[in-house]
Amino acid sequence: MLGSPLMAGGQEPAPAAAKAPDFSTGFQQLISLGLPPLKDAEWITASANENGDDYELREVLEGLKGGGWKMQVEGKATFLGMGAVDLSEPADTGGSGGGGLLGNLFGGGSKKKGKAGDLIADATKLIANLNNAGKSEKLRENIEYRADSLGKLLIFAAQLHQTGHPEEANRLATAVFSLGASPETVIDTAVNQLAARDLNRVTEAFFTSHDWTAYDRDLKSLIARYSRGWDHLLAAQMLQPVVAKRAANQPAPKPELRGIPLKPEALAALEATLQVGKATIDDEALNAFARENQIDPSYLKNPRYRQQLIEMMTQSGGSRSTAALWLIQNPPAADATNPWDQLKRLNMDALPALAAVAADDTLTYSRNNRGGGSRYFSSSESPAERAVKAYRDMDRPLTRGELACQLIESTLPGTGNETREADTLAQAALEFWKTNRNKSRLELIQVFLADGSEQQKFIALDVLATMPDKTARTAFEAQVLADNQALSSLDAVTTYLTLHKAEAKEFFSRFSTALKSQAEGVDLDRIRNGYQIRRDGGLDKFLRKLSILVGGESPRKLVLDLAKAEKTDAQQIRTVGEALAKSSPAEFIALYLEAAASSKRAETSSAFLQMLLTSDHPEQEEKPDAPKPLPPAHIPYWKTLLANDSTLPDGGTLRNVAATTMERMLQGEEFQATYFESYRLDSAATDAVMVARALERVEGKEPGPFPNATQVSAARMNDLVGQAKAAKPEDIPALVKGWSLAEKLAFKAWRTDPANKDMIPASMIASRKRVLPPEDGPRNPAAAKASETLTSLGIPPGTTLDADRLLSLVDKLAAEAKTRSGLLVSFYGSDGLDTGFTTQVLPCFDPDSKKSAAFAMATYSMYTVSSLFESGSDSSTPPEGMVLVNFGSSSGRSQHLTWTLANGTVTAPADTTPLRNAMTALDQPDAQTLYLMISVLHREDTAKAANLRRALNSEGDTDDSE
């Protein structure tokens, strides 16, 4: 198709100085396959490093300023990357100035617009790099594995032709063909990118419309259009006939087995698997799914993310269900609407039904979630084998047989991850059914304990631990105590002791003896769940925790001893609390409150409160119907804690921790998002509100609503905006500080609303780049000293921090790496209030720095720099010093750049455009919050930085989340 027009000049590349062959016909054929039109598109100046994160092309893209085209499509700003085949939308959903190239281009990037000449300059630079043996050396290495990158470059050549630059297009194609890969391979990979894009569009359209006729028509069109060069051509040719059957309403084969009647319920469920699922996802289910998968609930407010989560639910748990060992686990709910769940409720009687359809190629509406598969295949594979592999991994509807086989594989003893043929699986399912169909649940569990894989044995033991009857309990205890099973049964034993409490006391005694014997001399890192013993502080402490569950250790004595200890044992407080929360939730809350109030060490009291705040116990509701009152017996403890304003190691106070804990326990888990939004905006004001609310509660009063944006009237909002417009940039911080917390929340909501972009006061745009004086607090224990350091660096408080001044600061820090080693300088933009950069100056090797709330994060950053020294040790001129600059926005990904000092010379990164663009983005009215973190380290201090981190880790869990 494209071979002869494009390969004409590729087989014998012309010298660089000679006129390149004319590939116009081939370019036109590529364009006709659907390259996005570039009429009126604008080539945008941006970092080439941000263009698609193509690792293979990083050297040849070095020095390019542009990354793609900006254009308007149906009134919406869109972006087409260099060599890309699909348009992108700006990644950010509110405000602008996010990370990456798109964030820099749309509303948050440089005001300088790309010029037509920039495209020619970038194309010329790219061609020169490709023709430079040194620049293209890594690309030429293992050229057969670089085909995707070469295809991308060929598409860029076609884009140059599209935009009226045929000479540069021909020269670029000639350079690409000269790299060593066959022209056929390069052309095919370019075609494959277009085909993959179109297949993805067709697939998405089907899963939106569920229209088999349109799906069949579109697949036929793709197969005709991409007759060569498409990796998934044979797979698409396998898929299209089975799609055609659904489009023609061809009935599915009737499920039946010779001599084995299938249950009517099974037949009904099998028929339902071929229908579109009607399940709907309500807010409660969506929130629960987000929590279970540790997804930030705030994402649910974004319509695009919300739809993605709904698709995750309906395409995995909603349209099919393949939970492991469903034959012995608790069955799905009786009102389950998922047909696969309905089959699982039939238990052993589901196996014949699944076997009957194991080879059925009728497509369902369930989506294959394998991720699209890989382009790389074994050289020993035949085309037919490759097609089968591609079809198996293809993003497409699954057949009823494939889903049945998944369910069989997930529950037969001994089945692993290997793929088995449908007939083999069906036969195995029938044989297992015939042998075991009359066995009880306990007897089936024992089959898996005897014949299952290691993972199946663990699951079977966990299930056995939950069975309440005496026979099952006897079987469980015998299994754990036999044949050195104690070490591998920790989770199941914990479950068993939690359920049976004092009745399991004798078993616990025998288990303890067996565990001590089996653990002697064993490396806990090499056994399943050995981390539990290590986390709890060793075997004795682990068993002490378990003894609480059976009443072998007095929880009260144990907890109050921890409260009296001279040194805070946060890990043991956590460990004991976990056990107590399971065995006696009510006692846990009262006892931990008493311990927190009675301890003479604020750090210990805080550890007890943190356990109440984070533990999972029945009384910890997600969203109570109404705030719960304080139990009268708890009020004296709360009063004691609220009267204690002792400072904690992280700079906070015990009073604040107590107030936050109380609010969260009474308001439920969902209050956390409200609290954090307010705390990020103004931590001091939020703490004051929390304490005031807590003091009202201990006096028997119910506080009013927590401060929120809706409490501010439109008239007052207009007044706040007017105040900001009238203020000078240097007066903005004091002005905002005088607003109430509700007013700050309201202003942030107004400021981040895209509709208000053009009304943001100029004074606030100017204010956001000003460096604020360091204030005494958790981040800066020695604010005066921090101000002195900033002044010595040429950034005194009040300075406007623009790109040039920032780069000068980094150059200075690199030049002074010897004397500045271990210094962390950070600038944090205010969250939606534009008051300026909050500063943090932390000399990590100064013992007093341990008092900073950011010390853990700072040591991690220094450890990262020390690792960079190690990775760069092969250099002919090893650096003496390094400066690492991490930067990013609230919604963009983090980026970093590195400066080095060698032989007294500072070397900056080849391209500092991303950092410049991040700073320039602040000039846009609706710019997002920016953070900058600068770490300085000298080679002589690398071991010191690594040891500092290790020492911190050995003291307990560290938090690098800042």
Side-chain angles (χ1 to χ4, degrees):
M1 178 182 61
L2 297 173
S4 52
L6 274 175
M7 290 189 291
Q11 294 169 336
E12 295 183 10
K19 183 176 177 63
D22 184 5
F23 299 113
S24 297
T25 303
F27 289 142
Q28 288 295 346
Q29 289 182 335
L30 265 181
I31 294 167
S32 69
L33 288 177
L35 286 184
L38 291 173
K39 184 181 180 182
D40 299 326
E42 182 181 18
W43 180 253
I44 297 297
T45 301
S47 168
N49 293 333
E50 294 301 316
N51 182 31
D53 296 324
D54 194 321
Y55 182 78
E56 305 293 350
L57 296 177
R58 66 195 186 285
E59 279 86 5
V60 297
L61 293 179
E62 186 176 326
L64 275 69
K65 302 300 183 183
W69 288 269
K70 176 182 177 182
M71 65 193 80
Q72 293 286 326
V73 177
E74 296 179 354
K76 183 184 295 184
T78 56
F79 174 73
L80 181 69
M82 172 196 300
V85 296
D86 221 348
L87 296 170
S88 303
E89 292 184 9
D92 183 39
T93 57
S96 54
L101 180 61
L102 293 178
N104 294 331
L105 298 184
F106 298 101
S110 172
K111 290 182 178 180
K112 180 182 177 182
K113 295 184 178 181
K115 300 177 181 178
D118 294 336
L119 175 57
I120 302 301
D122 283 335
T124 302
K125 179 66 174 177
L126 175 58
I127 294 166
N129 287 346
L130 289 170
N131 288 327
N132 183 309
K135 289 284 187 183
S136 61
E137 179 182 5
K138 290 187 178 180
L139 190 59
R140 294 173 188 269
E141 292 175 356
N142 300 315
I143 193 68
E144 64 272 21
Y145 299 114
R146 313 290 191 230
D148 282 340
S149 296
L150 301 184
K152 179 177 180 178
L153 292 176
L154 185 61
I155 290 172
F156 180 45
Q159 290 170 334
L160 288 170
H161 184 87
Q162 239 182 320
T163 52
H165 306 292
E167 181 181 346
E168 287 74 17
N170 290 329
R171 289 172 55 211
L172 178 56
T174 300
V176 171
F177 287 138
S178 72
L179 292 172
S182 72
E184 294 94 336
T185 300
V186 178
I187 295 166
D188 284 348
T189 55
V191 171
N192 186 66
Q193 292 179 40
L194 287 158
R197 175 203 64 186
D198 290 349
L199 177 62
N200 180 65
R201 291 175 177 175
V202 166
T203 304
E204 291 297 335
F206 168 74
F207 282 108
T208 300
S209 69
H210 296 141
D211 186 336
W212 293 107
T213 301
Y215 194 24
D216 180 41
R217 180 193 64 233
D218 292 342
L219 283 173
K220 287 177 180 176
S221 176
L222 290 182
I223 291 168
R225 184 186 309 164
Y226 298 107
S227 57
R228 64 157 290 173
W230 183 17
D231 282 348
H232 277 61
L233 175 60
L234 293 179
Q237 289 173 334
M238 294 172 63
L239 174 62
Q240 186 272 321
V242 285
V243 172
K245 291 182 182 179
R246 291 302 310 256
N249 292 317
Q250 183 173 323
K254 181 181 179 181
E256 56 186 1
L257 292 172
R258 182 181 298 177
I260 302 176
L262 302 181
K263 295 275 187 180
E265 306 97 302
L267 292 171
L270 288 175
E271 178 62 28
T273 62
L274 301 178
Q275 311 305 317
V276 180
K278 297 296 194 297
T280 56
I281 306 298
D282 58 21
D283 287 344
E284 185 176 350
L286 198 58
N287 280 310
F289 182 79
R291 285 191 298 273
E292 290 168 6
N293 291 276
Q294 298 181 336
I295 297 170
D296 188 340
S298 64
Y299 286 151
L300 302 183
K301 298 177 182 178
N302 182 299
R304 180 160 59 92
Y305 292 145
R306 183 183 181 87
Q307 183 58 36
Q308 288 176 355
L309 288 182
I310 290 174
E311 289 177 2
M312 287 170 64
M313 293 180 69
T314 56
Q315 290 167 11
S316 55
S319 64
R320 60 190 174 105
S321 183
T322 56
L325 292 197
W326 51 271
L327 281 174
I328 61 172
Q329 292 178 317
N330 290 328
D335 59 354
T337 58
N338 184 317
W340 300 104
D341 283 342
Q342 293 169 356
L343 281 165
K344 286 193 292 184
R345 281 192 56 79
L346 299 176
N347 202 266
M348 289 293 287
D349 286 333
L351 289 177
L354 295 171
V357 297
D360 183 6
D361 68 353
T362 306
L363 293 173
T364 69
Y365 294 93
S366 295
R367 192 168 187 168
N368 188 11
N369 289 324
R370 287 179 179 268
S374 168
R375 292 193 68 245
Y376 300 104
F377 304 97
S378 169
S379 58
S380 63
E381 291 175 336
S382 68
E385 289 173 328
R386 294 185 181 191
V388 170
K389 182 178 178 181
Y391 179 77
R392 186 191 68 212
D393 294 342
M394 192 178 187
D395 184 5
R396 59 171 174 82
L398 288 163
T399 69
R400 183 162 65 174
E402 287 173 320
L403 289 164
C405 287
Q406 288 179 8
L407 214 54
I408 293 171
E409 280 187 301
S410 71
T411 203
L412 288 186
T415 51
N417 294 325
E418 72 281 1
T419 300
R420 298 198 283 180
E421 295 297 327
D423 290 343
T424 304
L425 278 172
Q427 187 61 36
L430 289 175
E431 289 176 2
F432 186 79
W433 173 75
K434 290 174 182 177
T435 303
N436 301 288
R437 58 179 165 169
N438 294 320
K439 288 182 177 176
S440 66
R441 186 188 186 198
L442 176 57
E443 289 171 327
L444 279 177
I445 289 173
Q446 290 172 327
V447 169
F448 282 99
L449 288 172
D451 302 328
S453 65
E454 285 301 306
Q455 181 65 22
Q456 288 174 332
K457 288 179 180 179
F458 285 123
I459 295 173
L461 191 63
D462 286 341
V463 174
L464 185 58
T466 64
M467 295 179 67
D469 59 277
K470 186 174 182 180
T471 305
R473 290 177 56 187
T474 300
F476 174 82
E477 294 182 3
Q479 181 71 27
V480 170
L481 297 174
D483 300 327
N484 293 320
Q485 295 295 308
L487 263 176
S488 60
S489 307
L490 302 184
D491 281 342
V493 167
T494 301
T495 300
Y496 183 77
L497 298 180
T498 302
L499 292 172
H500 300 293
K501 298 183 171 61
E503 294 179 5
K505 199 169 187 177
E506 182 184 349
F507 162 74
F508 174 68
S509 177
R510 289 183 289 152
F511 169 76
S512 299
T513 302
L515 185 62
K516 289 177 180 178
S517 173
Q518 293 172 27
E520 189 173 350
V522 172
D523 183 357
L524 295 176
D525 289 326
R526 303 182 68 88
I527 65 168
R528 181 184 176 90
N529 293 333
Y531 77 92
Q532 293 185 28
I533 298 175
R534 229 179 27 255
R535 182 199 65 179
D536 290 346
L539 188 57
D540 288 340
K541 288 186 176 180
F542 174 76
L543 290 172
R544 196 177 183 189
K545 175 189 75 173
L546 292 186
S547 72
I548 295 174
L549 300 174
V550 297
E553 180 96 20
S554 166
R556 181 175 179 79
K557 181 179 184 304
L558 183 57
V559 170
L560 294 182
D561 283 348
L562 287 169
K564 296 174 187 175
E566 293 184 3
K567 185 178 179 180
T568 302
D569 191 343
Q571 182 55 63
Q572 188 68 354
I573 290 172
R574 182 185 305 140
T575 298
V576 171
E578 288 172 351
L580 193 55
K582 290 179 179 178
S583 62
S584 181
E587 183 182 11
F588 160 66
I589 294 173
L591 188 51
Y592 264 52
L593 264 179
E594 181 184 353
S598 66
S599 178
K600 303 302 181 184
R601 287 178 55 84
E603 189 175 352
T604 300
S605 297
S606 177
F608 280 110
L609 291 173
Q610 289 292 343
M611 190 61 206
L612 287 172
L613 189 65
T614 59
S615 67
D616 183 16
H617 54 84
E619 293 192 12
Q620 187 77 289
E621 296 182 45
E622 294 167 1
K623 186 179 181 181
D625 294 333
K628 296 180 292 186
L630 286 175
H634 295 178
I635 290 178
Y637 303 138
W638 286 118
K639 284 185 174 180
T640 299
L641 291 164
L642 292 169
N644 191 335
D645 62 354
S646 299
T647 302
L648 299 167
D650 66 359
T653 68
L654 184 60
R655 171 187 293 154
N656 293 340
V657 173
T660 303
T661 303
M662 179 194 295
E663 190 83 30
R664 165 71 180 277
M665 291 179 68
L666 297 178
Q667 294 276 33
E669 185 177 334
E670 289 197 355
F671 173 75
Q672 184 169 333
T674 302
Y675 167 74
F676 278 126
E677 181 182 9
S678 173
Y679 190 85
R680 283 193 295 263
L681 205 59
D682 190 331
S683 58
T686 302
D687 282 337
V689 168
M690 299 289 275
V691 170
R693 292 169 65 82
L695 290 173
E696 285 187 88
R697 284 196 170 98
V698 296
E699 297 301 328
K701 304 173 184 176
E702 181 57 38
F706 195 82
N708 64 81
T710 63
Q711 296 167 355
V712 179
S713 68
R716 178 55 179 162
M717 190 67 245
N718 289 334
D719 184 39
L720 297 178
V721 175
Q723 291 178 19
K725 286 182 177 179
K728 297 178 180 179
E730 58 268 28
D731 295 333
I732 290 294
L735 172 67
V736 172
K737 188 175 183 179
W739 294 345
S740 69
L741 186 55
E743 289 171 341
K744 291 173 184 175
L745 289 164
F747 191 91
K748 178 187 174 182
W750 177 88
R751 154 74 171 80
T752 54
D753 185 343
N756 300 323
K757 173 183 175 180
D758 296 330
M759 294 184 283
I760 296 172
S763 57
M764 303 200 86
I765 297 173
S767 170
R768 65 174 67 132
K769 285 175 130 178
R770 287 174 53 84
V771 175
L772 296 173
E775 296 182 358
D776 279 315
R779 288 185 181 276
N780 293 302
K785 191 173 181 180
S787 291
E788 290 176 11
T789 301
L790 286 174
T791 300
S792 72
L793 291 171
I795 310 288
T799 300
T800 296
L801 189 64
D802 57 18
D804 289 336
R805 192 179 292 271
L806 176 63
L807 291 172
S808 296
L809 167 64
V810 180
D811 285 340
K812 180 177 178 61
L813 288 170
E816 300 175 4
K818 176 71 173 176
T819 56
R820 302 286 188 182
S821 184
L823 184 67
L824 176 77
V825 181
S826 299
F827 301 93
Y828 298 91
S830 56
D831 189 12
L833 294 178
D834 295 327
T835 53
F837 280 119
T838 299
T839 51
Q840 171 193 320
V841 180
L842 197 65
C844 292
F845 300 143
D846 185 335
D848 288 341
S849 292
K850 288 188 176 182
K851 299 175 184 177
S852 171
F855 183 67
M857 176 269 294
T859 58
Y860 178 77
S861 182
M862 291 300 160
Y863 177 75
T864 301
V865 184
S866 70
S867 301
L868 292 177
F869 274 103
E870 295 299 322
S871 63
S873 59
D874 294 335
S875 171
S876 59
T877 309
E880 304 152 20
M882 275 194 191
V883 176
L884 178 67
V885 181
N886 287 286
F887 59 100
S889 70
S890 56
S891 68
R893 66 179 179 84
S894 174
Q895 301 180 69
H896 70 270
L897 295 172
T898 305
W899 277 250
T900 59
L901 173 70
N903 295 331
T905 301
V906 173
T907 301
D911 187 3
T912 59
T913 307
L915 185 56
R916 283 189 173 276
N917 285 344
M919 294 301 296
T920 308
L922 296 177
D923 293 329
Q924 295 299 314
D926 57 348
Q928 289 189 341
T929 304
L930 177 70
Y931 72 86
L932 303 153
M933 194 164 67
I934 309 170
S935 310
V936 189
L937 193 65
H938 193 269
R939 176 174 287 279
E940 294 176 358
D941 294 325
T942 55
K944 188 189 296 186
N947 290 336
L948 196 65
R949 182 64 184 174
R950 292 190 192 102
L952 190 66
N953 284 338
S954 68
E955 293 174 8
D957 295 335
T958 57
D959 182 7
D960 303 319
S961 60
E962 295 186 55

